[in-house]
Amino acid sequence: MAEIRTLNKLHPLYQEDLKRICETKDMANLYGKRFLITGATGLIGVCLIDTLMRANTEGADITIYALGRSREKAASRLGEYYDNDHFHFVEHDARASLANLPVVDYIVPLASNTHPLAYSQFPIETIEINVKGAEHALEKALIDGATILYPSTVEVYGNARGEDIFTEDYTGQLNLRNARACYPESKRLSEALCQSYITEEGVKVKLVRLSRVFGPTMLMSDSKASSQFIVKALKGEDIVLKSKGEQLFSYTYVADAVSAMLHVLIHGEDGVPYNIANQACDVRLKDFARLCAEWAKKDVVFDLPSETEQKGFSIAMRAILDNQRLLAIGWQPGYDMKTAISRTLDILK
């Protein structure tokens, strides 16, 4: 079995991704600002921090307070910045207060259990991290006069009733009779908290609802189906599908997701949710698997999930996000699905 290497941040394709994100319209509005980012070692956190630190090489003078539970894990994901005056890692549990940390201009609470195995094994923790993390971020923003960029999720929409495409006004349909509801319901409550702080306290909050994000900054421990397809391809193994693969979902390459998040931070309206998706990456699960298999020159095989795995799986068969509101404020995606998957695998191989 081939060894899976960690992300090579110097890979030309990854550097090209970061350069493109740094070209976000009016990115200079963020220069000289201070960011507090929880969940700093995750898929999106690493790409966001790499982007801001790259901007610093061009004179952005952005200060980053990166928060995570493990200094050791952070060292493996972000350790190249430890001696940089613009970067500060803080060992921190997302359920704890942020009040005593330095004053900042922007807060991005990314800490969350975001994959099925975590939902099924730690549903209570999942709720606490999401809801308490949002509350502490909002309290910190109130104290500092900061703006929050809140990363919500396609999961808040629940299950489509038919051929729905989810606009931001869709109110969702969720089943509370399973432990997996811990994630979408706590994200919905967190959005409600954001709206409450906007109304009652005047806190500035930019809201994004992310589709299923993937890319080279992924964690190899991620149990999402798409992440496991990528892992299997990197190992040179057949791609395993735990279903017929007919689920039709919106996906977003991580560089596009971070680009869209920064665009909303700069150009979005407070309190208005923006779906982050890319029609060129709306595909069935079996097509995601096929593209990974083609890259690895392997086959797609089908295997029934274990009981533990099944508890964490989404029962949704369709989750397509309408991104017209995001496009209307000037954002454009950069990658189609085949390109995004091949870039991910080429960077990680």
Side-chain angles (χ1 to χ4, degrees):
M1 184 183 297
E3 178 185 356
I4 297 178
R5 300 175 182 174
T6 56
L7 168 65
N8 174 15
K9 293 188 180 183
L10 298 179
H11 194 289
L13 291 178
Y14 187 62
Q15 287 298 312
E16 187 177 278
D17 288 345
L18 298 181
K19 180 178 182 293
R20 184 177 183 278
I21 304 170
C22 285
E23 292 169 353
T24 295
K25 183 182 177 184
D26 296 325
M27 182 77 173
N29 289 1
L30 305 180
Y31 286 16
K33 303 300 184 181
R34 297 155 296 181
F35 279 75
L36 188 159
I37 301 169
T38 74
T41 60
L43 165 72
I44 295 174
V46 168
C47 187
L48 174 58
I49 290 169
D50 286 343
T51 297
L52 298 178
M53 292 301 290
R54 180 187 171 96
N56 280 340
T57 66
E58 300 170 5
D61 191 29
I62 296 170
T63 300
I64 299 166
Y65 296 95
L67 278 58
R69 282 192 284 192
S70 168
R71 182 171 293 275
E72 180 180 5
K73 181 178 178 181
S76 69
R77 302 275 280 169
L78 300 164
E80 70 271 28
Y81 305 130
Y82 273 21
D83 294 329
N84 192 304
D85 291 340
H86 286 97
F87 180 87
H88 310 275
F89 177 75
V90 181
E91 198 163 356
H92 182 87
D93 190 302
R95 294 166 289 186
S97 173
L98 302 168
N100 293 328
L101 293 174
V103 175
V104 294
D105 302 293
Y106 296 109
I107 302 169
V108 190
L110 288 166
S112 184
N113 289 338
T114 58
H115 61 99
L117 198 57
Y119 304 155
S120 61
Q121 292 181 331
F122 309 110
I124 297 172
E125 178 188 80
T126 298
I127 292 172
E128 289 180 341
I129 290 174
N130 284 343
V131 177
K132 291 184 178 179
E135 180 184 11
H136 291 313
L138 289 159
E139 283 293 321
K140 175 67 171 167
L142 181 59
I143 293 168
D144 292 2
T147 296
I148 288 182
L149 175 60
Y150 187 74
S152 190
T153 169
V154 59
E155 296 271 2
V156 301
Y157 296 116
N159 304 320
R161 293 169 297 196
E163 296 299 304
D164 307 273
I165 295 178
F166 298 146
T167 69
E168 290 87 350
D169 296 325
Y170 186 94
T171 54
Q173 178 177 287
L174 289 165
N175 176 14
L176 298 179
R177 294 188 62 188
N178 62 65
R180 196 190 185 282
C182 64
Y183 183 73
E185 280 295 342
S186 57
K187 279 294 191 178
R188 283 168 69 102
L189 177 54
S190 297
E191 279 202 39
L193 264 177
C194 289
Q195 296 294 352
S196 299
Y197 271 79
I198 291 169
T199 300
E200 190 171 335
E201 301 287 0
V203 173
K204 293 172 286 186
V205 182
K206 306 295 179 76
L207 281 162
V208 295
R209 291 176 182 158
L210 293 152
S211 60
R212 288 162 169 81
V213 180
F214 70 96
T217 52
M218 63 175 278
L219 291 160
M220 294 300 163
S221 59
D222 191 330
S223 61
K224 289 195 292 291
S226 56
S227 299
Q228 289 306 302
F229 298 162
I230 292 167
V231 169
K232 290 288 187 181
L234 290 168
K235 289 180 177 179
E237 298 176 2
D238 288 337
I239 309 303
V240 180
L241 258 174
K242 296 284 187 175
S243 68
K244 293 181 180 179
E246 294 295 334
Q247 302 93 321
L248 178 61
F249 296 145
S250 290
Y251 294 91
T252 308
Y253 183 55
V254 67
D256 271 345
V258 171
S259 164
M261 289 172 69
L262 291 175
H263 192 93
V264 170
L265 182 60
I266 297 167
H267 300 284
E269 184 179 342
D270 285 344
V272 175
Y274 293 84
N275 284 340
I276 292 181
N278 171 8
Q279 284 94 335
C281 294
D282 292 347
V283 300
R284 296 191 184 280
L285 194 62
K286 63 183 180 182
D287 295 321
F288 197 123
R290 175 182 55 78
L291 288 169
C292 290
E294 287 176 358
W295 182 90
K297 296 180 174 59
K298 305 300 289 188
D299 296 320
V300 176
V301 298
F302 297 84
D303 183 37
L304 293 176
S306 69
E307 184 177 345
T308 300
E309 288 173 321
Q310 188 67 51
K311 287 180 180 178
F313 286 0
S314 170
I315 63 170
M317 289 300 295
R318 180 183 175 92
I320 299 298
L321 291 183
D322 181 291
N323 69 349
Q324 292 305 304
R325 182 178 289 173
L326 179 61
L327 298 179
I329 62 170
W331 180 78
Q332 288 292 326
Y335 308 92
D336 62 27
M337 197 62 174
K338 184 173 183 179
T339 301
I341 288 176
S342 65
R343 288 177 85 86
T344 298
L345 290 164
D346 287 342
I347 291 168
L348 285 172
K349 72 180 179 180

